[in-house]
Amino acid sequence: ATYTQGESRVGVFVGYYRWQNENVKLVSPTNALTAAGEFGWAALRESVVTLPGEAAPRRFRETGLRGPGERLLVWQAYWVGGEWAINSYHVKWLQAKHQLLGQGDDGAVVMFYTSTDESMETARPLLERFANEAGPAISKLLAQAAANSTKGH
């Protein structure tokens, strides 16, 4: 989905994973933002962004991407059982914990992205504002989806 306010646009991707198996997983080497050279996209750099305040998610893995005629700044976070993480090892640990507690294996990847210039500095305030405004609603929707899935177990 893309959200527009004036000239500003933010794309949102939410991938929800339920009943994961060896072929379909939230975190795996083949399930990546972009593979080297895939479809002409390349990761330029990665860092971690921490937002002030209490909005969830507060931390994101930030990736600058260069593709055919476009640059994107992407903020990515994972959701597992109401907890947010940006590190794949932490995600795997959360999944194991929630499965051992009988809470299922539901998880999601959430990405916010926007077009940017070479410096990528102009995109950060836009993504931060969007994350603070939309993050709580996305957290609530993910919790509702997980609650509905545990009813069926």
Side-chain angles (χ1 to χ4, degrees), residues 9-21:
R9 292 183 182 178
V10 174
V12 177
F13 174 82
V14 178
Y16 195 88
Y17 293 78
R18 177 179 291 161
W19 302 307
Q20 298 175 58
N21 59 50

Side-chain angles (χ1 to χ4, degrees), residues 9-81:
R9 292 183 182 178
V10 174
V12 177
F13 174 82
V14 178
Y16 195 88
Y17 293 78
R18 177 179 291 161
W19 302 307
Q20 298 175 58
N21 59 50
E22 60 276 351
N23 298 318
V24 179
K25 302 180 208 181
L26 175 61
V27 175
S28 75
T30 58
N31 191 4
L33 183 58
T34 183
E38 184 178 41
F39 304 109
W41 288 92
L44 301 174
R45 62 179 184 75
E46 283 191 3
S47 61
V48 173
V49 174
T50 303
L51 302 180
E54 298 300 316
R58 290 191 55 235
R59 296 185 65 199
F60 293 90
R61 184 171 56 221
E62 178 183 270
T63 305
L65 295 175
R66 182 185 65 233
E70 186 174 21
R71 287 179 185 259
L72 296 176
L73 188 63
V74 181
W75 284 9
Q76 178 180 6
Y78 296 98
W79 179 94
V80 178

